C-alpha cells in the first residue's frame, strides 16, 4: 500500500481526510556458534555472537504507531491470542548485490525493493479484491534488518499488516487476519468507518470494529499523472459517489452520501483514489 510508500506515511496524512457530505514460507531461524579448542592449551576462542532470529510469517506484534513507521523493528513477537497491532504476512530475501558490489541493507535501492514487494503480497494474505482492500483500515508496512543484524548475516525483509484506529494510533487486530476479506463479516470488521459525516469537524477515520456512524462503501479512481487539484477532485468525487451510494440506498429518493479525495501528499505517495461514504445503520 509509486514511491509508495512507506504506505503508512501516505496514510498518515491519510487520516486527515478531505471530505464532504451531501444530502512466503519462512525458513527456521539459524543459530551459529564457533568454539575451537587447542589440544595443547586450556584456553578457547570466544564464541561468535548468535545470529538474530529470522522473522516468521504469522507472527504477531504489539507495535506502536511510531514503530510501524520505522524502517527496522526489533520487537519480540507475542502470542496472537493476546492483543496485537501487527501481523507478519510475508518474509523475503533482499538482493544486496548490484554489479558485483554489496549494498548496505539501508541503501535506497535495497529499501525500494521492499517497498515494491510488500504491498503486492498483501492481498494474497487477506484474500478479496483491490476494491475490498481499499474499503478497509488495513495497510502494509515493512522492515529490513538493522545494520547490526545485517553484520550477523541477516538478509531478509518482513512485511506486516496493520490497521489504523484513529489519528496516529494503531487498532487492535482480529485474532485471525488470513483470508479476512473473503467473508462479509470479515470485511465489515476491518472496514474503514467514520465517527461523523466526512468533512465534519468531529470526523475521524476509525476501524469499523470501533464505534462509528458512517462507513466507506465504494471507491473511485482518479486518472492522470499530475495532481488534479482540489476543485477538480471535488467535482469528480461528487459525480462518482452520489450514484454509487444511491445504488445501495434503501430509498433511492431519500438518502445521504459523502465523499473524500486524495490529498496532494497522498497523491505523491501513490494513492490515486477516493472513497464514497454512507451513514451506517
Amino acid at each position: 500500500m509509486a514511491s509508495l510508500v512507506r504506505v503508512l506515511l501516505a496514510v498518515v496524512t491519510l487520516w486527515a481526510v478531505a471530505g464532504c457530505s451531501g444530502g512466503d514460507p519462512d525458513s527456521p531461524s539459524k543459530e551459529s556458534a564457533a568454539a575451537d579448542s587447542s589440544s595443547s592449551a586450556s584456553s578457547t576462542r570466544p564464541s561468535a555472537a548468535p545470529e538474530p532470529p529470522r522473522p516468521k510469517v504469522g507472527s504477531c506484534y504489539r507495535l506502536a504507531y511510531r514503530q510501524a513507521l520505522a524502517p527496522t523493528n526489533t520487537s519480540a513477537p507475542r502470542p496472537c491470542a493476546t492483543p496485537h497491532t501487527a501481523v507478519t504476512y510475508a518474509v523475503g530475501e533482499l538482493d544486496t548485490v548490484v554489479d558485483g558490489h554489496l549494498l548496505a541493507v539501508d541503501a535506497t535501492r535495497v529499501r525500494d525493493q521492499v517497498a515494491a514487494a510488500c504491498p503486492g503480497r498483501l492481498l494474497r494474505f487477506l484474500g478479496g479484491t483491490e476494491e475490498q482492500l481499499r474499503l478497509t483500515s488495513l495497510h502494509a508496512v515493512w522492515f529490513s534488518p538493522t545494520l547490526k543484524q545485517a553484520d550477523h548475516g541477516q538478509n531478509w525483509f518482513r512485511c506486516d499488516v496493520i490497521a489504523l484506529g484513529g489519528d496516529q494510533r494503531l487498532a487492535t487486530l482480529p485474532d485471525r487476519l488470513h483470508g479476512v476479506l473473503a467473508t462479509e463479516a470479515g470485511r465489515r470488521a476491518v472496514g474503514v468507518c467514520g465517527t461523523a459525516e466526512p468533512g465534519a469537524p468531529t470526523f475521524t477515520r476509525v476501524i469499523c470494529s470501533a464505534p462509528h456512524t458512517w462507513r466507506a462503501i465504494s471507491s473511485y479512481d482518479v486518472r492522470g499523472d499530475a495532481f488534479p487539484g482540489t476543485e477538480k477532485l471535488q467535482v469528480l468525487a461528487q459525480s462518482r459517489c452520489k450514484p454509487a451510494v444511491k445504488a445501495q440506498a434503501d430509498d433511492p429518493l431519500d438518502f445521504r452520501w459523502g465523499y473524500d479525495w486524495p490529498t496532494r501528499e497522498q497523491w505523491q505517495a501513490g494513492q490515486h483514489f477516493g472513497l464514497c461514504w454512507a451513514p451506517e445503520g
Side-chain angles (χ1 to χ4, degrees):
M1 151 189 296
S3 74
L4 154 62
V5 239
R6 237 165 197 289
V7 165
L8 193 51
L9 284 175
V11 182
V12 181
T13 40
L14 111 160
W15 288 69
V17 68
C20 291
S21 64
D24 300 350
D26 53 71
S27 303
S29 59
K30 306 172 186 174
E31 294 185 358
S32 61
D36 296 332
S37 58
S38 170
S39 60
S40 60
S42 60
S43 61
T44 60
R45 297 177 187 175
S47 298
E51 186 176 300
R54 174 187 174 93
K56 295 183 178 181
V57 172
S59 295
C60 297
Y61 298 85
R62 182 79 166 178
L63 301 185
Y65 178 80
R66 291 186 179 277
Q67 289 176 300
L69 289 176
T72 63
N73 181 260
T74 58
S75 300
R78 61 188 290 133
C80 294
T82 62
H84 57 279
T85 57
V87 176
T88 300
Y89 65 88
V91 175
E93 293 294 327
L94 294 171
D95 181 7
T96 54
V97 179
V98 178
D99 297 329
H101 298 287
L102 182 64
L103 301 179
V105 291
D106 60 349
T108 299
R109 184 162 180 171
V110 175
R111 288 187 173 172
D112 286 348
Q113 293 177 27
V114 190
C118 286
R121 300 185 183 194
L122 183 56
L123 271 178
R124 301 182 203 171
F125 180 76
L126 299 176
T129 65
E130 181 65 33
E131 166 71 2
Q132 290 170 340
L133 179 59
R134 288 180 177 183
L135 301 179
T136 74
S137 297
L138 303 176
H139 301 276
V141 294
W142 44 89
F143 307 97
S144 56
T146 64
L147 293 177
K148 184 177 181 180
Q149 289 174 323
D151 288 342
H152 289 163
Q154 296 293 289
N155 200 43
W156 46 260
F157 64 85
R158 167 183 143 200
C159 309
D160 282 15
V161 56
I162 55 93
L164 292 175
D167 184 26
Q168 299 191 11
R169 181 173 60 84
L170 299 188
T172 298
L173 294 172
D175 290 346
R176 179 177 174 82
L177 273 182
H178 186 248
V180 70
L181 298 187
T183 68
E184 175 66 22
R187 292 191 293 271
R188 291 190 67 83
V190 298
V192 57
C193 287
T195 56
E197 64 184 37
T202 56
F203 175 87
T204 300
R205 292 195 189 198
V206 295
I207 190 169
C208 290
S209 57
H212 61 275
T213 57
W214 285 66
R215 175 185 292 270
I217 65 167
S218 66
S219 71
Y220 63 92
D221 290 312
V222 182
R223 307 294 184 184
D225 297 324
F227 182 68
T230 298
E231 292 185 7
K232 289 184 178 180
L233 285 171
Q234 283 183 302
V235 172
L236 175 64
Q238 292 170 1
S239 67
R240 299 293 181 83
C241 288
K242 185 175 181 179
V245 177
K246 180 179 180 179
Q248 298 189 39
D250 293 333
D251 184 350
L253 300 179
D254 183 16
F255 64 95
R256 298 170 66 195
W257 58 284
Y259 56 90
D260 66 36
W261 59 89
T263 64
R264 183 180 296 275
E265 292 81 3
Q266 292 171 344
W267 180 274
Q268 293 172 344
Q271 182 184 325
H272 294 185
F273 65 88
L275 299 179
C276 304
W277 296 74
E280 181 81 307

